[in-house]
Amino acid sequence: MKNLVIDLRVVRNNLRAIKDRAEGVLIITDLSANAGGMGLLPVAQFLRDEGIKNFAVSDPEDAKLLRQNGFSGERIMMLRSTADPNEISELLELGVICTVGSYDAAVAINGIAESRKLAADVQVILDSGLGVYGFQPAELDKVAAIYKYMSSLNVVGTFTSFASSWRNKKSTISQLDKFNDALDRIIAMGYEPGIAHAIDSAALFKYDFELMDAVRVDTALSGRIPGKHIASLNRVGYIEAGLEEVGWHPKGHTIGSERGFVTKAATKIGILSVGYYHGFGVDRYIVERSLFDIFRWRRRKAYVRINGQKATVLGSVGLMHTIVDVTNIDCTVGDVAVLDVDPVNVKGLPIVYR
């Protein structure tokens, strides 16, 4: 028995915290990556029931799945810019707000929209420092061309994406200043940028920035903004797995491969058929941490909970299994262990909602 458990009561509490911080401005929920691993359709339905009507996705297939499953009146925004004619055609058919991050993308969307005799709603993305999608601040003449010459494009918003809001306030402020300056210049040219938004989950909760027309949240829903814990948010996502084997190993016995653990005394162990393949013991932000943080992360003691008690992981988390110390825990085969996981890392497990 192995399941990823999503407690929607915790998601609801996190959403309340988001609404409190948003102070009444529009909330756009980013449902990319299967709603952060929590399940696209169930989470979208839950959010709609809670009054959220604006969604963002990063894949046309996600937009298609939403439209095919009754999300006909909601505003869906494609987060990434694309000049691919097949993707553009599909997005326009689905009534999705396209993102324009280059002159080529603008020309492509305008041409297809014009051929279909329709006005395509688009949002312009400005690159303030992430360096993935977006017009550079020095090329606002290309943004102006959208308003001047592309009559089949209807600009409904302008936004940017921060590069490191969860760990670098100075850099985030610099990027926000660049974005605001670009907005001022667009307005000075006589154009309406539409809904302006830049604030993401980390910026919303970590800093007291002045809010724009909207905030865009993702990790705040799962309570898993990286860095220091946010008091008003709680973590969503854990694996429930039954103990497969329970038994004793003598003193001096090696447990696990690679960084194996050698028992210092007779030790009762429990075996779980869950490993890093399933997302346990994985940190998706590890590549962005300092060497000191990486060293500290590798040396930390991982644990699970069995019958309400902590059981320390022995050795390294394996590909498909984890071995835990249950010497002082009254347990047997079949008892359920609870493993904290970030849902976005989980694969190969069914999702159970509570």
Side-chain angles (χ1 to χ4, degrees), residues 234-306:
N234 291 291
R235 290 184 172 183
V236 176
Y238 58 89
I239 293 173
E240 284 185 340
L243 284 168
E244 305 279 346
E245 297 277 359
V246 176
W248 286 89
H249 282 330
K251 176 182 178 180
H253 193 85
T254 300
I255 296 174
S257 59
E258 298 179 2
R259 293 188 298 125
F261 176 86
V262 179
T263 57
K264 296 179 181 179
T267 304
K268 184 169 71 167
I269 69 163
I271 301 176
L272 303 166
S273 59
V274 173
Y276 62 79
Y277 168 81
H278 303 98
F280 180 56
V282 177
D283 182 353
R284 59 169 155 159
Y285 298 100
I286 195 66
V287 295
E288 300 181 50
R289 298 188 188 276
S290 67
L291 288 175
F292 175 75
D293 286 338
I294 293 173
F295 177 75
R296 185 171 59 181
W297 179 80
R298 287 181 63 87
R299 290 183 61 84
R300 86 197 194 294
K301 288 186 177 181
Y303 65 89
V304 306
R305 288 191 176 276
I306 301 172

Side-chain angles (χ1 to χ4, degrees), residues 70-120:
F71 292 84
S72 56
E74 287 68 31
R75 286 164 60 91
I76 301 176
M77 164 191 172
M78 177 69 168
L79 272 179
R80 61 177 172 84
S81 177
T82 179
D84 184 307
N86 293 324
E87 286 193 334
I88 293 169
S89 295
E90 184 171 26
L91 292 170
L92 294 182
E93 288 174 5
L94 294 169
V96 173
I97 300 170
C98 296
T99 286
V100 178
S102 68
Y103 188 76
D104 288 344
V107 170
I109 298 170
N110 184 70
I112 294 173
E114 189 174 47
S115 70
R116 299 185 179 200
K117 294 181 171 51
L118 57 84

Side-chain angles (χ1 to χ4, degrees), residues 98 151 169 186:
C98 296
S151 59
K169 182 177 181 179
I186 291 171

Side-chain angles (χ1 to χ4, degrees), residues 158-177:
T158 306
F159 74 103
T160 193
S161 294
F162 295 136
S164 55
S165 57
W166 66 274
R167 65 184 177 93
N168 194 325
K169 182 177 181 179
K170 182 178 179 180
S171 172
T172 303
I173 291 174
S174 174
Q175 291 170 54
L176 186 58
D177 288 344

Side-chain angles (χ1 to χ4, degrees), residues 9 31 45 65 68 70 73 77 82 137 143 154 156 173 184 192 219-220 238 240 247 272 283 302 310 322:
R9 296 168 299 179
L31 300 179
Q45 180 62 64
L65 194 59
Q68 289 177 337
M77 164 191 172
T82 179
V143 175
N154 176 36
V156 298
I173 291 174
D184 289 342
E192 171 53 53
T219 53
Y238 58 89
E240 284 185 340
L272 303 166
D283 182 353
K310 283 186 177 181
T322 297

